[in-house]
Amino acid sequence: MAISMDRKNGYFYLRTKNTVYVLGLHEGKYPVHLYYGKRVKSPVLSSHTQALSFAPYYAAHGYDFLPDVTSVEFPLFGSGDMRATALKLRRLASGAAATHFTYRSARKLAGRCEIQGLPFASADENTQTLELCLEDEVLCCRLYLYYTVFPESDVISRHFVLENRSEGDVSIEKCMSLALDIPRDDLDMISFWGGHKCERNYQRTPVMHGNQRVQSRRGASSHHYNPCLLLCERKATEEHGEAYGFNFIYSGNFLDEVELSLNGTTRVLVGLGAENFTYLLKAGERFSSPEAVMTYSAKGVGQVSRNMHDFVRSHILPRDVFPQRPVVLNSWEAFHFDIDAKLMVDFAKEAVACGMDMLVMDDGWFGARTSDAAGLGDWFENKSRFPSGLAAFVEEVRQTGIKFGIWIEPEMVNPDSALYRAHPEWVLAAPDYEPMLSRKQLVLDMGNPAVRDYLKDAFAKTFDGVAIDYFKWDMNRNFDYAYSTALSPQQQGEAAYRYMLGVYDLFTCFCQRYPNAMIENCSGGGGRFDLGMMKYSTQIWTSDQTRPKNRVYIQYGSSFGYPASVMSCHVAKLAECKNPRWLDYRFRVALQGALGYEFNIMQASDTVKDALRRQVEEYRGYERLIFEGDLYRLLNPFETNGVSAYYYASKDQNELLLSFLQNEGEKKPRSFRLKLTRAEKNASYLDRLSGKTYTGEELRRGLTVCTDKEEQYGIMWHFVKQ
Ligand code: DGJ
């Protein structure tokens, strides 16, 4: 049983396969946090109520209840907790942002509660939810806290619903979905920073006193920071020590906040934040926060990642549309905007000859889009490039024996487009100022239903009845200022949030209208590499950076929160592969996710084409293991000047796929021992690539590898139990 309630003593237990989370009610009134950690019979409960001078208290409770030093379940601004808080509410009638919520009731639910308008993790037969109802009688608001337990992946999610039962309006001024007080003052924080073409760099720093934040203010979860955050004890490694993982099922602005306070407790908060979000909750209305997730392991950072991977695969990603993930040939890096029907059909023929499954026609097929300066928003085919129309062209491509995918960027508009000329008021831009451009484009106000109706109609006219197997959904700029002409001045703080609701609505419409097509998500590469997007997209274009020396870092960083099956990885820049070994290295690097290709294959020699055919075949032999196996990281390129190693283990331990990648960075000869602790001690394993046999014991003790070459190269071993 995932959830049990001891109503008499006011304790609630949330159990997953390996963890337990305990909360209680202080004096039957205040939900306090008592334990989150290893699943043991009698967890040591603590809520840290030791008195500290200056901490405010209610006269009725005296020193018995000091919100400022207590591990509360959901810290509220204006309630005597002076640390970072999860929720700030302002009663507009008085202007006060004080609150005093107390417990009213609890319910245990089978499955989960849906979150209206937002993506959320799907339940399975083991999922259960605890609902706690709190009330503030002055504010006349009810606050429902939801804890949804996913026992098999060791994940617990949190979100809340706020109900305004008063006759006046309430403004939500800070909104965090998850709060957790960890009774430790020796934690490290692992976060991911970057930019376009260099996403998700790993950074491990000690959590210091004060407030540490990772956040996006860009309207997208962004290339710059990722909502995935890990905390671990200072001495934790990949395989040892206490570690926690957090993430947010949302794709817009976010805030991860970590605060170590004087009482030696580290508080973690995950949510929408306060800087780019306010919400006017009118009398009688309800607001649901997005969902945030957490996991814990006593077996190191690697296990936290594996929990996240299992969770994403089982509860986030959409079902695979095809029995096998298609190996894609994408037109972008080959031709950029210079495409037409004939070229694409020829391109498709070459892809088929090399054993690839899907031709993806990237940007440049619609409106006046022959460069990035015009046409975005005008979603009909360019007649001079596709004279027989889209449907007939797609048929021709498919007759070559390949599936067909197409690029779209629904959320954007070029000023030079029919759409913008007709509706300049449909963009998010500061009123009375000149709108700011990025990549010569503006952001459509997706929160405005009229904009979405236009897009739904335009895409239906162009795509209905056309045999499309795959959409590459791109988004190529961030916000400068989110102001919506569809909202009142008092609601402008909602514009960025409503934009995301609108985007999710359009995704839902696509998924329903084209159920047999898969979506690959993209935002100039990995600018929206988050659990919100993963709810609709089978895979995400990991980065616009296709050079392996950088990809090694990007993919390694991404692996902390996300499984390989979601990372789209292409072999690209053929012209740079002067040496056949380099093509092989690119392939080995791309084996950290769903394989694709992205170069002008027409210019490839027969030898290269043979090599590509062999690569696709080889990939087919590994893909299940990569997509469904457990990932073990061995060498972190951020700590080894670019040398990386990891392996995938099948759940039954019958197969292990080990990769060692020496990047350009490392020049000095150096040796490493790669220990495969997942190998079965007494078993014997055949490496299918070298033909050599190893005992499990040998693999556990480790293989020695050396960085003895000047250039980048990769070695792989595919061990199969005999
Ligand atoms: C950015 C994407 O990341 C690229 O792969 C490509 O689709 C371009 N946009 C097209 O404009």
Side-chain angles (χ1 to χ4, degrees), residues 332 337 362-363 369 407 409 439 472 474 476 522-525 541 544 598:
W332 179 247
F337 294 99
D362 211 283
D363 204 348
R369 186 78 169 171
W407 180 95
E409 191 178 2
R439 206 199 189 200
K472 177 175 171 186
D474 206 347
N476 280 302
C522 174
S523 171
W541 179 224
D544 270 353
E598 187 155 349

PDB file of all heavy atoms in Angstrom, residues 332 337 362-363 369 407 409 439 472 474 476 522-525 541 544 598, ligand 1:
ATOM      1  N   TRP A 332      18.063  19.798 -42.496  1.00  0.00           N
ATOM      2  CA  TRP A 332      18.504  21.136 -42.098  1.00  0.00           C
ATOM      3  C   TRP A 332      19.984  21.400 -42.367  1.00  0.00           C
ATOM      4  O   TRP A 332      20.355  22.281 -43.124  1.00  0.00           O
ATOM      5  CB  TRP A 332      18.130  21.412 -40.636  1.00  0.00           C
ATOM      6  CG  TRP A 332      18.593  22.773 -40.185  1.00  0.00           C
ATOM      7  CD1 TRP A 332      19.549  23.045 -39.267  1.00  0.00           C
ATOM      8  CD2 TRP A 332      18.122  24.040 -40.665  1.00  0.00           C
ATOM      9  NE1 TRP A 332      19.712  24.394 -39.124  1.00  0.00           N
ATOM     10  CE2 TRP A 332      18.845  25.036 -39.981  1.00  0.00           C
ATOM     11  CE3 TRP A 332      17.172  24.442 -41.597  1.00  0.00           C
ATOM     12  CZ2 TRP A 332      18.653  26.404 -40.182  1.00  0.00           C
ATOM     13  CZ3 TRP A 332      16.970  25.807 -41.817  1.00  0.00           C
ATOM     14  CH2 TRP A 332      17.712  26.760 -41.123  1.00  0.00           C
ATOM     15  N   PHE A 337      17.614  26.457 -45.868  1.00  0.00           N
ATOM     16  CA  PHE A 337      16.297  26.809 -46.428  1.00  0.00           C
ATOM     17  C   PHE A 337      16.133  26.408 -47.897  1.00  0.00           C
ATOM     18  O   PHE A 337      15.060  26.570 -48.460  1.00  0.00           O
ATOM     19  CB  PHE A 337      16.071  28.330 -46.307  1.00  0.00           C
ATOM     20  CG  PHE A 337      15.971  28.797 -44.887  1.00  0.00           C
ATOM     21  CD1 PHE A 337      17.054  29.370 -44.236  1.00  0.00           C
ATOM     22  CD2 PHE A 337      14.783  28.673 -44.182  1.00  0.00           C
ATOM     23  CE1 PHE A 337      16.958  29.799 -42.923  1.00  0.00           C
ATOM     24  CE2 PHE A 337      14.681  29.096 -42.870  1.00  0.00           C
ATOM     25  CZ  PHE A 337      15.773  29.663 -42.235  1.00  0.00           C
ATOM     26  N   ASP A 362      12.918  19.820 -43.074  1.00  0.00           N
ATOM     27  CA  ASP A 362      13.024  20.870 -42.048  1.00  0.00           C
ATOM     28  C   ASP A 362      12.494  22.194 -42.602  1.00  0.00           C
ATOM     29  O   ASP A 362      11.725  22.232 -43.570  1.00  0.00           O
ATOM     30  CB  ASP A 362      14.492  20.949 -41.572  1.00  0.00           C
ATOM     31  CG  ASP A 362      14.613  21.363 -40.119  1.00  0.00           C
ATOM     32  OD1 ASP A 362      14.449  22.555 -39.833  1.00  0.00           O
ATOM     33  OD2 ASP A 362      14.872  20.491 -39.255  1.00  0.00           O
ATOM     34  N   ASP A 363      12.899  23.281 -42.022  1.00  0.00           N
ATOM     35  CA  ASP A 363      12.449  24.638 -42.345  1.00  0.00           C
ATOM     36  C   ASP A 363      12.572  24.925 -43.846  1.00  0.00           C
ATOM     37  O   ASP A 363      13.480  24.418 -44.501  1.00  0.00           O
ATOM     38  CB  ASP A 363      13.375  25.595 -41.565  1.00  0.00           C
ATOM     39  CG  ASP A 363      12.729  26.928 -41.309  1.00  0.00           C
ATOM     40  OD1 ASP A 363      11.693  27.206 -41.910  1.00  0.00           O
ATOM     41  OD2 ASP A 363      13.287  27.692 -40.493  1.00  0.00           O
ATOM     42  N   ARG A 369       8.961  31.490 -46.878  1.00  0.00           N
ATOM     43  CA  ARG A 369      10.080  31.123 -46.002  1.00  0.00           C
ATOM     44  C   ARG A 369      11.253  30.576 -46.831  1.00  0.00           C
ATOM     45  O   ARG A 369      11.497  29.356 -46.850  1.00  0.00           O
ATOM     46  CB  ARG A 369       9.578  30.081 -45.005  1.00  0.00           C
ATOM     47  CG  ARG A 369      10.576  29.713 -43.940  1.00  0.00           C
ATOM     48  CD  ARG A 369      10.674  30.723 -42.857  1.00  0.00           C
ATOM     49  NE  ARG A 369      11.452  30.176 -41.741  1.00  0.00           N
ATOM     50  CZ  ARG A 369      11.858  30.885 -40.715  1.00  0.00           C
ATOM     51  NH1 ARG A 369      11.573  32.177 -40.641  1.00  0.00           N
ATOM     52  NH2 ARG A 369      12.544  30.319 -39.751  1.00  0.00           N
ATOM     53  N   TRP A 407       8.768  19.879 -40.500  1.00  0.00           N
ATOM     54  CA  TRP A 407       9.143  20.873 -39.476  1.00  0.00           C
ATOM     55  C   TRP A 407       8.058  21.938 -39.344  1.00  0.00           C
ATOM     56  O   TRP A 407       7.524  22.412 -40.351  1.00  0.00           O
ATOM     57  CB  TRP A 407      10.443  21.527 -39.922  1.00  0.00           C
ATOM     58  CG  TRP A 407      11.007  22.592 -39.016  1.00  0.00           C
ATOM     59  CD1 TRP A 407      11.939  22.413 -38.051  1.00  0.00           C
ATOM     60  CD2 TRP A 407      10.729  24.002 -39.037  1.00  0.00           C
ATOM     61  NE1 TRP A 407      12.252  23.619 -37.454  1.00  0.00           N
ATOM     62  CE2 TRP A 407      11.514  24.612 -38.045  1.00  0.00           C
ATOM     63  CE3 TRP A 407       9.871  24.804 -39.798  1.00  0.00           C
ATOM     64  CZ2 TRP A 407      11.486  25.991 -37.787  1.00  0.00           C
ATOM     65  CZ3 TRP A 407       9.839  26.170 -39.536  1.00  0.00           C
ATOM     66  CH2 TRP A 407      10.639  26.756 -38.536  1.00  0.00           C
ATOM     67  N   GLU A 409       6.954  25.535 -36.691  1.00  0.00           N
ATOM     68  CA  GLU A 409       7.288  26.401 -35.548  1.00  0.00           C
ATOM     69  C   GLU A 409       6.050  27.243 -35.219  1.00  0.00           C
ATOM     70  O   GLU A 409       6.003  28.449 -35.492  1.00  0.00           O
ATOM     71  CB  GLU A 409       8.492  27.288 -35.873  1.00  0.00           C
ATOM     72  CG  GLU A 409       9.025  27.985 -34.637  1.00  0.00           C
ATOM     73  CD  GLU A 409      10.255  28.853 -34.891  1.00  0.00           C
ATOM     74  OE1 GLU A 409      10.700  28.961 -36.033  1.00  0.00           O
ATOM     75  OE2 GLU A 409      10.745  29.449 -33.902  1.00  0.00           O
ATOM     76  N   ARG A 439      16.130  36.329 -33.882  1.00  0.00           N
ATOM     77  CA  ARG A 439      16.123  35.567 -35.146  1.00  0.00           C
ATOM     78  C   ARG A 439      15.060  36.126 -36.110  1.00  0.00           C
ATOM     79  O   ARG A 439      14.313  35.391 -36.739  1.00  0.00           O
ATOM     80  CB  ARG A 439      15.863  34.079 -34.898  1.00  0.00           C
ATOM     81  CG  ARG A 439      16.456  33.218 -36.002  1.00  0.00           C
ATOM     82  CD  ARG A 439      15.874  31.827 -36.078  1.00  0.00           C
ATOM     83  NE  ARG A 439      16.624  31.006 -37.000  1.00  0.00           N
ATOM     84  CZ  ARG A 439      16.181  29.904 -37.559  1.00  0.00           C
ATOM     85  NH1 ARG A 439      14.996  29.450 -37.282  1.00  0.00           N
ATOM     86  NH2 ARG A 439      16.918  29.224 -38.387  1.00  0.00           N
ATOM     87  N   LYS A 472       8.369  17.848 -36.414  1.00  0.00           N
ATOM     88  CA  LYS A 472       9.449  18.427 -35.608  1.00  0.00           C
ATOM     89  C   LYS A 472       8.949  19.800 -35.204  1.00  0.00           C
ATOM     90  O   LYS A 472       8.859  20.715 -36.027  1.00  0.00           O
ATOM     91  CB  LYS A 472      10.743  18.519 -36.422  1.00  0.00           C
ATOM     92  CG  LYS A 472      11.880  19.193 -35.652  1.00  0.00           C
ATOM     93  CD  LYS A 472      13.174  19.169 -36.429  1.00  0.00           C
ATOM     94  CE  LYS A 472      14.238  20.037 -35.757  1.00  0.00           C
ATOM     95  NZ  LYS A 472      15.449  20.151 -36.569  1.00  0.00           N
ATOM     96  N   ASP A 474       9.377  23.140 -33.463  1.00  0.00           N
ATOM     97  CA  ASP A 474      10.515  23.974 -33.074  1.00  0.00           C
ATOM     98  C   ASP A 474      10.041  25.253 -32.368  1.00  0.00           C
ATOM     99  O   ASP A 474       8.853  25.617 -32.439  1.00  0.00           O
ATOM    100  CB  ASP A 474      11.282  24.326 -34.366  1.00  0.00           C
ATOM    101  CG  ASP A 474      12.755  24.627 -34.127  1.00  0.00           C
ATOM    102  OD1 ASP A 474      13.154  24.817 -32.967  1.00  0.00           O
ATOM    103  OD2 ASP A 474      13.500  24.690 -35.125  1.00  0.00           O
ATOM    104  N   ASN A 476      12.082  29.021 -31.728  1.00  0.00           N
ATOM    105  CA  ASN A 476      13.425  29.583 -31.899  1.00  0.00           C
ATOM    106  C   ASN A 476      13.702  30.956 -31.318  1.00  0.00           C
ATOM    107  O   ASN A 476      14.608  31.644 -31.794  1.00  0.00           O
ATOM    108  CB  ASN A 476      13.767  29.595 -33.393  1.00  0.00           C
ATOM    109  CG  ASN A 476      14.202  28.215 -33.832  1.00  0.00           C
ATOM    110  OD1 ASN A 476      15.146  27.661 -33.297  1.00  0.00           O
ATOM    111  ND2 ASN A 476      13.487  27.654 -34.778  1.00  0.00           N
ATOM    112  N   CYS A 522      11.772  20.510 -30.189  1.00  0.00           N
ATOM    113  CA  CYS A 522      13.017  21.215 -30.450  1.00  0.00           C
ATOM    114  C   CYS A 522      12.803  22.668 -30.050  1.00  0.00           C
ATOM    115  O   CYS A 522      11.720  23.212 -30.237  1.00  0.00           O
ATOM    116  CB  CYS A 522      13.307  21.110 -31.951  1.00  0.00           C
ATOM    117  SG  CYS A 522      14.721  22.064 -32.503  1.00  0.00           S
ATOM    118  N   SER A 523      13.817  23.279 -29.499  1.00  0.00           N
ATOM    119  CA  SER A 523      13.761  24.724 -29.320  1.00  0.00           C
ATOM    120  C   SER A 523      15.183  25.195 -29.577  1.00  0.00           C
ATOM    121  O   SER A 523      15.991  25.285 -28.653  1.00  0.00           O
ATOM    122  CB  SER A 523      13.299  25.074 -27.902  1.00  0.00           C
ATOM    123  OG  SER A 523      13.451  26.466 -27.704  1.00  0.00           O
ATOM    124  N   GLY A 524      15.497  25.394 -30.862  1.00  0.00           N
ATOM    125  CA  GLY A 524      16.872  25.698 -31.225  1.00  0.00           C
ATOM    126  C   GLY A 524      17.759  24.639 -30.586  1.00  0.00           C
ATOM    127  O   GLY A 524      18.760  24.945 -29.938  1.00  0.00           O
ATOM    128  N   GLY A 525      17.352  23.363 -30.728  1.00  0.00           N
ATOM    129  CA  GLY A 525      18.002  22.281 -29.988  1.00  0.00           C
ATOM    130  C   GLY A 525      17.299  22.118 -28.657  1.00  0.00           C
ATOM    131  O   GLY A 525      16.078  22.049 -28.584  1.00  0.00           O
ATOM    132  N   TRP A 541      15.183  17.097 -29.811  1.00  0.00           N
ATOM    133  CA  TRP A 541      16.463  17.392 -30.456  1.00  0.00           C
ATOM    134  C   TRP A 541      17.360  17.994 -29.376  1.00  0.00           C
ATOM    135  O   TRP A 541      17.145  19.107 -28.912  1.00  0.00           O
ATOM    136  CB  TRP A 541      16.233  18.340 -31.634  1.00  0.00           C
ATOM    137  CG  TRP A 541      17.441  18.764 -32.407  1.00  0.00           C
ATOM    138  CD1 TRP A 541      17.700  20.038 -32.828  1.00  0.00           C
ATOM    139  CD2 TRP A 541      18.522  17.956 -32.892  1.00  0.00           C
ATOM    140  NE1 TRP A 541      18.876  20.072 -33.538  1.00  0.00           N
ATOM    141  CE2 TRP A 541      19.408  18.806 -33.586  1.00  0.00           C
ATOM    142  CE3 TRP A 541      18.835  16.597 -32.785  1.00  0.00           C
ATOM    143  CZ2 TRP A 541      20.585  18.338 -34.172  1.00  0.00           C
ATOM    144  CZ3 TRP A 541      20.007  16.135 -33.368  1.00  0.00           C
ATOM    145  CH2 TRP A 541      20.864  17.001 -34.058  1.00  0.00           C
ATOM    146  N   ASP A 544      21.390  22.003 -30.942  1.00  0.00           N
ATOM    147  CA  ASP A 544      21.804  22.373 -32.304  1.00  0.00           C
ATOM    148  C   ASP A 544      23.298  22.137 -32.487  1.00  0.00           C
ATOM    149  O   ASP A 544      23.824  22.242 -33.588  1.00  0.00           O
ATOM    150  CB  ASP A 544      21.516  23.858 -32.561  1.00  0.00           C
ATOM    151  CG  ASP A 544      20.125  24.056 -33.139  1.00  0.00           C
ATOM    152  OD1 ASP A 544      19.470  23.053 -33.452  1.00  0.00           O
ATOM    153  OD2 ASP A 544      19.699  25.212 -33.273  1.00  0.00           O
ATOM    154  N   GLU A 598      22.224  13.923 -40.402  1.00  0.00           N
ATOM    155  CA  GLU A 598      21.892  15.280 -40.809  1.00  0.00           C
ATOM    156  C   GLU A 598      23.034  15.872 -41.628  1.00  0.00           C
ATOM    157  O   GLU A 598      23.829  16.648 -41.116  1.00  0.00           O
ATOM    158  CB  GLU A 598      21.607  16.108 -39.539  1.00  0.00           C
ATOM    159  CG  GLU A 598      21.099  17.480 -39.837  1.00  0.00           C
ATOM    160  CD  GLU A 598      20.263  18.095 -38.730  1.00  0.00           C
ATOM    161  OE1 GLU A 598      19.871  17.394 -37.774  1.00  0.00           O
ATOM    162  OE2 GLU A 598      19.998  19.298 -38.833  1.00  0.00           O
TER     163      GLU A 598
HETATM  164  C1  DGJ B   1      16.518  25.387 -35.083  1.00  0.00           C
HETATM  165  C2  DGJ B   1      16.586  23.886 -34.985  1.00  0.00           C
HETATM  166  O1  DGJ B   1      17.207  23.502 -33.822  1.00  0.00           O
HETATM  167  C3  DGJ B   1      17.290  23.355 -36.228  1.00  0.00           C
HETATM  168  O2  DGJ B   1      17.459  21.970 -36.118  1.00  0.00           O
HETATM  169  C4  DGJ B   1      16.455  23.712 -37.424  1.00  0.00           C
HETATM  170  O3  DGJ B   1      15.218  23.046 -37.355  1.00  0.00           O
HETATM  171  C5  DGJ B   1      16.262  25.219 -37.494  1.00  0.00           C
HETATM  172  N1  DGJ B   1      15.753  25.741 -36.252  1.00  0.00           N
HETATM  173  C6  DGJ B   1      15.321  25.595 -38.614  1.00  0.00           C
HETATM  174  O4  DGJ B   1      15.006  26.914 -38.626  1.00  0.00           O
END
